[in-house]
Amino acid sequence: MDQLASLAESVAMEEDSENQSIKRESSVEPDSSSPPSPKITARWNPSEPCRPSVDDAPIFYPTNEDFDDPLGYIEKLRSKAESYGICRIVPPVAWRPPCPLKEKNIWEESKFPTRIQLIDLLQNREPIKKSTKSKKRKRRRVKTGYTRRKRDSGGDTSSSSDGEGKFGFQTGPDFTLEEFQKYDEYFKECYFQAEDHTGSKAFESKKFKPKVKDIEGEYWRIVEQATDEVEVYYGADLETKKFGSGFPKYSPGHLKCEADQYSKCGWNLNNLSRLPGSVLAFESCDISGVIVPWLYVGMCFSTFCWHVEDHHLYSLNYLHTGDPKVWYGIPGNHYASFETAMKKRLPDLFEEQPDLLHQLVTQLSPRILKEEGVPVYRAVQRSGEFILTFPKAYHSGFNCGFNCAEAVNVAPVDWLVHGQNAVEGYSKQRRKSSLSHDKLLLGAAMEAVYSLWELSLFKKKTPVIARWKRVCSEDGLLTKAVKKRVQMEEERLNNLQDGFSLLKMEGDFDIKRERECFLCFYDLHMSASSCKCSPNRFACLTHAKDLCSCENKERFVLIRHTLDELRALVKALEGDPDAIDEWASKCRDQYPPQHQRVKEYSYLQASSFSKSRGSSKVQQREQSNLQSVSEHLQSDLTTNKEVQLKQDGDQNVNCINDKSAVTDVKLGEGGKFDEKKILVESQNRHSVSDVGCSDMAKKLDGCLEGKDQEAATNRLRHSVELLSTGSLVVKKLWCSKQAIYPKGFKSRVKFLSVLDPTKLTNYISEVLDAGLLGPLFRVSVEDYPTENFSNVSVEKCWQMVTQRLKLEIIKRCDQPVSSLTSLQPLESINGHEMFGLISPHVIKVVESLDPKHQLEEYWNQKAVKLFGAEPTKEEEKDDTEKGGASDPSLDRDTRLLRGLLKKATPEELVMMHGLLCGEARNTELTEELSTLVDKMEKSP
């Protein structure tokens, strides 16, 4: 190390002869065999600190009870901390998660990439074009630039580029964590050593450790004065799925240990984004840096420059280990004034690079920002602490030494208004979005409506249902966000010119390919416009007129939901019972997987869904989300049938696929779309492909076909295990001609797993009380009860299970949805059989609950089956003419039984008499039967 230091000094002396005002610190070129050692000529100047005078951001100390609900706690502190832009959260003393990064195989062996940061040029630099002509500074340069960063996680990011004319960070060497820690220790030891009165370097025997305020003062001296050239390394935006997370992850089959409680904890950043109540839970892809955390490895002075999170999301950063990290935050309501100040103080840089703030390569001192009237707050984050940043809040900072941090985004419902403003701003800037905001908004709305529906049925407030209920009603945050978006959509539709046709959007419209406006990159999940001249080119409603020069009659607009449906969604969120029922039914029928309770993020999330945020949206969305696949599945199941949309009147809009068959739809009075007049000729959506599934699906088909299926069904009837008989409910809906449905009935059956179709698992089937709707049937996976399927029909309940099973098979087989046709045998599964309600041993127990035969519909039908076929229409007519069953006040079953009395043998009459004696409400029929039996017994 001493030789390296001596060499660095000699190099510095040579350069000082050319320019005495320059001190230089640089790093050697990367070595393939070992990481470089720092060459340090710049030194700490304690006499010229530039520590900014700013107020501190608030610090919060949650109790153990507070800490049980991360989103609830964030909601609680929002009113106190949002006006600062950032805040510090210190977990309870007992919360100390183990850090897997410290394990030997990672700490000493895993390499991570770094980038070089030129700290003295973050604020004081000339535009690239001008600086290339200037010879004032003798810095060795490497061609640099930037690539557009798709993601800002927790602040700790920078950019690199290959483009000319733009400043950025070049690639540095690779390190292990152990090597990087040693690199930083040597750097700080050399940089902060003292000088004697003669100016010569005097190494002290005792190492000097600078305080945070010393490092902060020196950092801003370098940034503001730029008299010393200081270059450092930063390991930023490291994908935790590749390098490893600093939080423990749960994995099935491993031995239980202390880390388990932390692997499932909501404050574990691997779980945070998809917690129930986070809108990001409705994003199916594991977007790296947003839903899957990013890791940051810092050294002294390494910097995350001023930036705001993509889509103005919240971010949460946790410091696992190492030296402190200093943060600066600006309140979100000063967003515009901050940008104005930056452009005012750095006009040349913004003139050359208008999107400079998107590149995360520029600092501006808090001192200067305060002079411009922009409030700035400081937070010093230490090991084991969180930093929370709020929507639209610019933040920046630097590291005081070696440390490891991790960050991720989160989106409580209050974020939706900020997210909507963000995508509208992106559209004006013609900037690509990273998320489908409309998909998240609709997903949250449907989840909330389904929660309201469940609440009305069960009168039970779970924490998740309670959270969704709080954001509904007329003044609810979610209701307002959806209402604003619906109004926006209505205005944009009304602004289109006369002649545009209105069509229903295909369910898989934005699943497998990118669907963005050709001009402004606005996401097209809710609606899109196109033309017959270019059916694969789309525009948002704002730029529909700019798509091409064709006549309006050649153009069309695709909509996911009609305006009437969207208005009904708003009413449902406001609490209208009819609208809640309508949309809850839509959730069940059109989006079966979506309306299930938001799953706690766990190891069940397939790693194959992981996508890097830096990749295109096409790549991110190749893995279909279950909601949209389900829509496509519904389309396939209704092939060659008309699909109608509910309108204000009795008119309908029909789904079509052939755009050439579009019928013109004119605008109504005032230039508005009149949905009542919309009628498009229905066409076959597409012919069903004969493409088969993979071997797994074929084997599944084989075991469910022909005699094998019949044998399997017979075995199934005996394999249903009765767990609870339940209690009798004497009401019309609590039985059918097929079975009795006791309240509290519960059974267990083994069937193919919806989580892994290659395995069998146990399902629990239950009969619950749904109030006026009668029984509610629910099927859940025994080991994972959050995987459940509910319906008021016992058959549809198991249809939902088989539908989900088919989707999982298709996903694993990597086959098109059309190949679902090869899985038709799954549709033959009988819901009553799967519940065990028609298994002989179950029937016997259930029937014993009703010894008096009070459930007439079931027992009368049983009598009909016992004594023969139903009478023909001619026989019923003959009975009517003879007066045998002509009384219109009698129900059909009573008239039917009276007809059978005339045809019964003496033995059958005795048996029927015994069956009907318990029917207290059918005394007239019982007396009639008794008279016939008496006559029969008296006759020889």
Side-chain angles (χ1 to χ4, degrees):
M1 289 296 185
D2 291 341
Q3 292 178 349
L4 288 173
S6 300
L7 178 61
E9 288 182 21
S10 63
V11 172
M13 291 176 62
E14 292 178 5
E15 294 199 353
D16 284 343
S17 63
E18 297 181 3
N19 190 340
Q20 294 295 328
S21 65
I22 296 177
K23 297 179 183 179
R24 180 179 180 81
E25 177 216 3
S26 66
S27 58
V28 299
E29 294 296 325
D31 190 298
S32 58
S33 58
S34 61
S37 297
K39 291 183 178 180
I40 304 161
T41 58
R43 291 291 185 271
W44 176 39
N45 188 346
S47 63
E48 298 181 11
C50 291
R51 185 171 185 259
S53 175
V54 296
D55 293 332
D56 290 334
I59 308 172
F60 295 93
Y61 298 87
T63 64
N64 290 326
E65 184 179 355
D66 291 331
F67 214 65
D68 288 340
D69 182 6
L71 294 185
Y73 188 67
I74 290 173
E75 181 182 349
K76 180 179 178 180
L77 61 79
R78 180 166 61 92
S79 61
K80 302 175 183 178
E82 190 171 20
S83 59
Y84 295 86
I86 62 173
C87 68
R88 182 156 60 107
I89 300 174
V90 181
V93 176
W95 197 81
R96 288 292 178 267
C99 183
L101 298 176
K102 295 180 180 179
E103 295 175 3
K104 183 176 181 180
N105 63 322
I106 296 179
W107 188 265
E108 299 180 8
E109 299 172 9
S110 295
K111 295 267 189 178
F112 63 90
T114 64
R115 57 187 59 155
I116 301 173
Q117 294 186 323
L118 316 178
I119 305 302
D120 55 304
L121 296 185
L122 295 180
Q123 176 177 304
N124 290 288
R125 66 175 183 271
E126 295 177 338
I128 295 295
K129 293 178 181 178
K130 184 184 292 187
S131 64
T132 54
K133 299 177 182 179
S134 174
K135 299 196 176 180
K136 292 181 180 179
R137 296 179 65 100
K138 288 286 188 178
R139 181 186 296 278
R140 176 181 57 82
R141 291 195 176 276
V142 179
K143 180 190 284 188
T144 63
Y146 83 103
T147 53
R148 190 177 73 82
R149 178 177 174 277
K150 292 282 290 179
R151 147 95 194 82
D152 319 325
S153 180
D156 301 3
T157 59
S158 320
S159 294
S160 59
S161 173
D162 299 303
E164 285 286 352
K166 295 179 181 179
F167 174 80
F169 301 138
Q170 65 201 66
T171 301
D174 292 349
F175 289 87
T176 64
L177 292 172
E178 182 182 44
E179 291 167 346
F180 202 57
Q181 183 181 37
K182 292 179 179 179
Y183 183 94
D184 173 74
E185 288 174 353
Y186 182 76
F187 174 88
K188 288 176 69 176
E189 180 183 340
C190 294
Y191 192 92
F192 288 97
Q193 64 182 313
E195 296 184 5
D196 63 18
H197 66 280
T198 62
S200 63
K201 281 68 179 177
F203 285 89
E204 300 178 357
S205 58
K206 188 176 181 180
K207 291 183 179 180
F208 172 74
K209 293 185 178 180
K211 298 178 180 179
V212 171
K213 65 178 183 179
D214 297 326
I215 299 174
E216 185 182 18
E218 178 66 6
Y219 173 81
W220 287 111
R221 184 192 71 80
I222 299 168
V223 172
E224 290 191 53
Q225 297 180 6
T227 55
D228 294 333
E229 293 187 350
V230 179
E231 299 180 3
V232 298
Y233 297 129
Y234 195 17
D237 301 352
L238 305 178
E239 296 187 28
T240 54
K241 283 205 169 185
K242 292 182 179 178
F243 186 79
S245 171
F247 289 99
K249 291 185 178 180
Y250 179 78
S251 59
H254 81 310
L255 296 176
K256 291 186 177 181
C257 61
E258 181 185 358
D260 281 355
Q261 62 175 314
Y262 295 105
S263 66
K264 299 176 181 178
C265 177
W267 291 92
N268 182 326
L269 298 191
N270 295 293
N271 306 329
L272 181 70
S273 292
R274 285 204 171 113
L275 288 179
S278 171
V279 178
L280 288 176
F282 302 99
E283 171 56 59
S284 61
C285 295
D286 285 352
I287 303 175
S288 184
V290 177
I291 291 172
V292 179
W294 268 350
L295 194 68
Y296 302 90
V297 185
M299 65 170 288
C300 187
F301 299 146
S302 59
T303 301
F304 46 102
C305 297
W306 287 112
H307 71 283
V308 68
E309 298 296 305
D310 278 1
H311 289 262
H312 298 168
L313 289 158
Y314 284 80
S315 74
L316 194 66
N317 182 294
Y318 182 75
L319 189 57
H320 290 289
T321 187
D323 293 330
K325 189 186 292 282
V326 180
W327 293 71
Y328 303 94
I330 293 169
N333 58 357
H334 285 270
Y335 175 91
S337 60
F338 167 82
E339 292 187 345
T340 300
M342 289 285 286
K343 293 174 183 178
K344 177 182 176 181
R345 291 300 185 122
L346 305 171
D348 293 341
L349 297 182
F350 277 92
E351 181 181 357
E352 180 181 66
Q353 198 171 347
D355 62 346
L356 184 64
L357 286 173
H358 298 164
Q359 315 313 324
L360 290 90
V361 294
T362 306
Q363 283 287 68
L364 189 64
S365 170
R367 177 186 62 80
I368 297 175
L369 290 172
K370 287 187 67 177
E371 289 176 0
E372 295 295 332
V374 181
V376 184
Y377 298 95
R378 176 200 292 112
V380 179
Q381 179 189 22
R382 290 178 169 81
S383 179
E385 298 178 350
F386 290 97
I387 291 289
L388 177 69
T389 73
F390 289 87
K392 215 175 180 180
Y394 271 98
H395 47 281
S396 72
F398 66 93
N399 298 290
C400 293
F402 171 80
N403 57 32
C404 297
E406 196 164 343
V408 79
N409 287 121
V410 65
V413 173
D414 66 86
W415 161 80
L416 283 169
V417 63
H418 301 287
Q420 187 68 59
N421 293 335
V423 293
E424 299 303 321
Y426 290 173
S427 175
K428 293 177 182 178
Q429 299 167 9
R430 298 188 180 182
R431 176 184 174 188
K432 282 182 174 289
S433 60
S434 307
L435 295 166
S436 171
H437 183 85
D438 285 339
K439 183 196 294 183
L440 302 185
L441 179 67
L442 289 175
M446 286 186 282
E447 181 71 15
V449 169
Y450 198 78
S451 293
L452 294 177
W453 181 77
E454 285 188 324
L455 181 62
S456 67
L457 288 181
F458 306 117
K459 309 299 181 185
K460 181 181 179 182
K461 272 192 177 182
T462 65
V464 175
I465 291 178
R467 176 169 283 133
W468 286 115
K469 188 176 186 300
R470 285 199 299 271
V471 297
C472 295
S473 77
E474 290 187 13
D475 296 326
L477 292 170
L478 178 58
T479 307
K480 289 181 179 179
V482 175
K483 190 173 185 178
K484 178 182 178 181
R485 181 66 183 92
V486 172
Q487 291 172 346
M488 195 180 298
E489 191 75 357
E490 185 173 8
E491 291 172 2
R492 289 170 179 173
L493 280 170
N494 293 337
N495 287 335
L496 292 181
Q497 296 177 355
D498 185 15
F500 278 76
S501 301
L502 192 63
L503 311 176
K504 186 68 173 176
M505 184 182 286
E506 294 282 339
D508 64 345
F509 175 71
D510 59 347
I511 293 180
K512 292 186 177 180
R513 61 182 65 182
E514 189 174 33
R515 298 300 190 191
E516 296 173 320
C517 175
F518 81 103
L519 187 60
C520 70
F521 306 112
Y522 196 86
D523 181 79
L524 303 178
H525 180 75
M526 188 174 285
S527 59
S529 64
S530 189
C531 181
K532 294 178 183 178
C533 72
S534 52
N536 292 319
R537 192 166 180 250
F538 300 93
C540 65
L541 299 186
T542 303
H543 298 115
K545 303 170 187 176
D546 304 318
L547 185 65
C548 62
S549 58
C550 296
E551 296 182 8
N552 289 343
K553 65 181 182 180
E554 300 295 319
R555 305 186 188 192
F556 53 89
V557 175
L558 301 175
I559 57 171
R560 186 170 296 276
H561 301 290
T562 67
L563 289 177
D564 284 332
E565 289 176 323
L566 293 175
R567 293 186 193 108
L569 178 58
V570 174
K571 290 181 180 179
L573 293 171
E574 291 175 343
D576 182 87
D578 293 335
I580 289 175
D581 288 343
E582 177 185 341
W583 267 91
S585 175
K586 194 182 297 293
C587 291
R588 292 195 307 271
D589 298 337
Q590 295 186 22
Y591 308 97
Q594 182 67 49
H595 79 256
Q596 303 299 324
R597 295 268 59 85
V598 179
K599 309 301 184 300
E600 187 172 334
Y601 191 71
S602 67
Y603 68 91
L604 293 175
Q605 298 293 326
S607 60
S608 60
F609 272 50
S610 178
K611 298 291 175 185
S612 171
R613 183 58 172 274
S615 61
S616 70
K617 286 176 65 180
V618 178
Q619 293 174 317
Q620 294 173 11
R621 296 180 185 179
E622 281 180 352
Q623 295 292 346
S624 60
N625 66 61
L626 291 177
Q627 171 183 334
S628 299
V629 173
S630 298
E631 289 180 334
H632 198 158
L633 175 59
Q634 292 295 323
S635 300
D636 282 329
L637 295 179
T638 55
T639 300
N640 300 325
K641 296 181 181 179
E642 273 194 349
V643 181
Q644 297 183 327
L645 301 175
K646 185 176 181 182
Q647 303 296 312
D648 286 336
D650 296 328
Q651 302 297 327
N652 299 294
V653 176
N654 298 319
C655 299
I656 76 163
N657 188 46
D658 186 358
K659 306 302 186 294
S660 64
V662 176
T663 302
D664 295 343
V665 180
K666 307 297 182 182
L667 291 174
E669 295 181 5
K672 296 183 177 182
F673 273 110
D674 188 351
E675 293 188 6
K676 295 181 181 179
K677 296 181 180 179
I678 298 173
L679 185 61
V680 183
E681 181 181 357
S682 178
Q683 302 289 327
N684 292 341
R685 295 176 69 84
H686 46 73
S687 59
V688 180
S689 171
D690 292 329
V691 178
C693 274
S694 66
D695 292 341
M696 179 178 68
K698 289 179 180 178
K699 289 178 181 178
L700 179 63
D701 286 345
C703 73
L704 292 175
E705 287 181 352
K707 295 180 179 179
D708 291 338
Q709 180 183 349
E710 183 178 353
T713 303
N714 290 332
R715 288 194 300 272
L716 177 64
R717 290 177 178 174
H718 298 285
S719 67
V720 176
E721 180 184 355
L722 182 61
L723 301 179
S724 175
T725 308
S727 59
L728 191 70
V729 179
V730 185
K731 292 182 181 178
K732 184 177 180 180
L733 298 174
W734 288 86
C735 75
S736 66
K737 294 179 180 179
Q738 289 180 277
I740 295 173
Y741 309 126
K743 182 174 72 173
F745 175 91
K746 186 183 289 187
S747 64
R748 179 190 287 123
V749 68
K750 209 174 267 292
F751 194 61
L752 299 170
S753 172
V754 296
L755 301 175
D756 184 355
T758 63
K759 299 178 182 178
L760 293 176
T761 191
N762 286 325
Y763 289 86
I764 301 298
S765 301
E766 300 174 86
V767 181
L768 309 173
D769 190 351
L772 296 177
L773 294 179
L776 180 71
F777 303 97
R778 182 171 70 189
V779 178
S780 57
V781 181
E782 186 173 31
D783 292 337
Y784 304 100
T786 54
E787 293 285 347
N788 58 75
F789 309 84
S790 303
N791 203 286
V792 292
S793 163
V794 67
E795 295 295 342
K796 288 185 178 179
C797 191
W798 266 96
Q799 284 176 12
M800 293 165 64
V801 178
T802 56
Q803 186 181 69
R804 169 69 182 280
L805 182 60
K806 288 191 285 187
L807 292 174
E808 189 66 24
I809 292 171
I810 291 301
K811 184 176 71 176
R812 288 170 176 264
C813 297
D814 195 23
Q815 295 292 319
V817 178
S818 58
S819 61
L820 284 172
T821 54
S822 66
L823 295 174
Q824 292 303 312
L826 280 175
E827 296 182 2
S828 64
I829 296 299
N830 184 298
H832 283 85
E833 289 178 345
M834 301 302 286
F835 265 75
L837 292 168
I838 57 177
S839 297
H841 67 291
V842 176
I843 291 175
K844 184 176 181 180
V845 176
V846 171
E847 286 183 347
S848 67
L849 297 174
D850 189 15
K852 296 183 179 180
H853 299 179
Q854 298 178 76
L855 296 175
E856 296 179 8
E857 183 180 6
Y858 173 77
W859 291 105
N860 289 347
Q861 180 66 16
K862 190 175 183 69
V864 170
K865 292 180 179 179
L866 180 63
F867 298 114
E870 297 185 15
T872 63
K873 292 183 179 179
E874 290 75 12
E875 290 172 329
E876 288 183 345
K877 182 179 180 181
D878 184 59
D879 288 339
T880 302
E881 291 173 353
K882 294 178 180 179
S886 59
D887 187 351
S889 65
L890 297 176
D891 60 44
R892 178 177 176 278
D893 291 335
T894 301
R895 295 198 303 269
L896 184 60
L897 285 172
R898 281 190 166 177
L900 288 173
L901 291 178
K902 295 178 171 41
K903 303 164 67 174
T905 65
E907 292 79 6
E908 291 173 339
L909 286 173
V910 173
M911 188 177 295
M912 290 179 69
H913 181 264
L915 285 171
L916 293 172
C917 281
E919 290 287 350
R921 288 175 291 176
N922 206 355
T923 56
E924 181 183 349
L925 189 58
T926 305
E927 290 174 0
E928 185 176 335
L929 182 56
S930 297
T931 301
L932 286 172
V933 173
D934 289 341
K935 289 180 180 179
M936 178 198 69
E937 291 176 345
K938 292 177 182 179
S939 62

